[in-house]
């Protein structure tokens, strides 16, 4: 079935791109370059692999654009189910997270500027510059923690749309709702009890796989909104 006749597959491919590119800055780069509790080692790693760090910045920008295309594809898919909920998906799942992505790269750009040792930073010695770079990286971490609220909230209207749609399995809607609660709890934990954030993230992993399941379903099987019957059309006209 062509993507023109199967809008669910279009959304699935945008979702796939997001899941492939997104972990570059969130998971891969921190695991390769960041040394917890050691500012000097982290800065030295970034200095030695500046292009990898830059690719993370570009990845964030690209993901911000992909988010807009993804939620617009979801809007096209679900507007016949509930247009108001579909609009909420666009706002909470696309517009607002994309803006945070674009703002977050400023923190990374600031860290990279310090690592490169801009001339006006020569008034600081090396340990001070390392600490300043870590400050920018920590700010970026807190931006991610705040953004997790949106990563969860957008799943609630999406979950309801999937559950009501009748062209997607209802268990996916339930799974997405659980994932939404998990993200909200993770974000609140990061703000209120940051010492438990990693533990909450580990326990929440199964809940987060609901988005992966939805993406795979859309890519493999697709989804096509059912045409409205005559009775529904007459009610809508009235």
């Amino acid at each position: 079935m062509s993507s023109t006749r199967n809008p669910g597959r279009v959304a699935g491919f945008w979702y796939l791109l997001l899941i492939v590119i997104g972990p570059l800055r969130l998971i891969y780069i921190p695991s390769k370059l960041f040394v917890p509790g050691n500012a000097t080692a982290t800065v030295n790693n970034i200095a030695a692999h500046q292009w990898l760090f830059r690719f993370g910045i570009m990845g964030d920008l690209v993901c911000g654009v992909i988010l807009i295309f993804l939620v617009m594809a979801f809007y096209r898919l679900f507007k016949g189910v509930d247009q108001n909920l579909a609009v909420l998906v666009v706002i909470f799942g696309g517009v607002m997270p994309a803006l945070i992505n674009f703002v977050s790269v400023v923190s990374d750009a600031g860290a990279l500027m310090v690592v490169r040792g801009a001339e006006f930073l020569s008034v600081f010695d090396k340990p001070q510059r390392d600490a300043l770079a870590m400050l920018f990286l920590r700010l970026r971490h807190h931006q991610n923690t705040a953004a997790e609220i949106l990563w969860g909230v957008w799943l609630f209207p999406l979950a309801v749309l999937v559950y009501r749609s009748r062209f997607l399995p209802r268990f996916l809607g339930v799974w997405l709702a659980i994932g939404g609660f998990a993200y909200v709890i993770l974000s609140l934990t990061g703000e209120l009890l940051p010492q438990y954030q990693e533990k909450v993230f580990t326990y929440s992993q199964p809940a987060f796989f609901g988005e992966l399941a939805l993406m795979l379903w859309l890519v493999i099987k697709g989804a096509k909104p059912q045409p409205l019957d005559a009775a529904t059309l007459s009610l809508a006209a009235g």
Side-chain angles (χ1 to χ4, degrees), residues 39-54:
T40 299
T42 299
V43 168
N44 290 341
N45 286 341
I46 294 175
H49 302 90
Q50 290 186 36
W51 277 107
L52 177 59
F53 194 76
R54 289 180 183 276

Side-chain angles (χ1 to χ4, degrees), residues 1 7-8 31 76 96 149 160 183 195:
M1 186 179 295
S31 69
R76 178 188 174 199
M96 294 177 68
I149 282 281
V160 175
Y183 271 122
Q195 65 272 27

Side-chain angles (χ1 to χ4, degrees), residues 2 27 36 44 47 64 97 104-105 139 141-142 210 213 215 218 223 235-236:
S2 69
I27 299 175
N44 290 341
S104 294
V105 301
L139 285 174
H141 171 73
H142 285 293
M215 180 274 293
L218 292 174
L235 286 174

Side-chain angles (χ1 to χ4, degrees), residues 25 33-46 53 107-108 110-112 114-115 126-142:
R25 176 58 182 86
L33 302 184
F34 300 172
V35 181
N38 193 328
T40 299
T42 299
V43 168
N44 290 341
N45 286 341
I46 294 175
F53 194 76
S107 296
D108 278 351
L112 186 60
V114 174
V115 169
K126 180 65 163 61
Q128 290 174 325
R129 291 197 301 271
D130 292 349
L132 183 59
M134 282 302 297
L135 174 62
F136 282 115
L137 295 176
R138 291 287 179 87
L139 285 174
R140 168 57 196 266
H141 171 73
H142 285 293

Side-chain angles (χ1 to χ4, degrees), residues 21-131:
I21 299 175
L24 175 64
R25 176 58 182 86
L26 290 176
I27 299 175
Y28 182 75
I29 287 177
S31 69
K32 292 295 183 182
L33 302 184
F34 300 172
V35 181
N38 193 328
T40 299
T42 299
V43 168
N44 290 341
N45 286 341
I46 294 175
H49 302 90
Q50 290 186 36
W51 277 107
L52 177 59
F53 194 76
R54 289 180 183 276
F55 280 133
I57 294 175
M58 290 303 301
D60 271 354
L61 295 175
V62 170
C63 284
V65 175
I66 291 174
L67 275 170
I68 301 300
F69 284 105
L70 170 62
V71 294
M72 291 308 299
F74 275 141
Y75 179 82
R76 178 188 174 199
L77 180 64
F78 292 116
K79 64 181 179 180
V81 178
D82 190 315
Q83 188 170 15
N84 291 330
L85 289 176
V87 169
L88 291 180
V89 168
V90 172
I91 295 172
F92 290 118
V95 176
M96 294 177 68
L99 288 174
I100 291 179
N101 268 34
F102 298 142
V103 171
S104 294
V105 301
V106 176
S107 296
D108 278 351
L112 186 60
M113 188 184 305
V114 174
V115 169
R116 288 169 56 85
E119 184 177 350
F120 63 86
L121 294 171
S122 60
V123 296
F124 300 105
D125 58 27
K126 180 65 163 61
Q128 290 174 325
R129 291 197 301 271
D130 292 349

Side-chain angles (χ1 to χ4, degrees), residues 197-217:
Q197 187 179 24
E198 187 173 347
K199 184 176 294 186
V200 171
F201 176 77
T202 301
Y203 290 149
S204 301
Q205 288 296 309
F208 298 147
F209 291 151
E211 289 187 81
L212 180 63
L214 175 62
M215 180 274 293
L216 290 174
W217 185 281

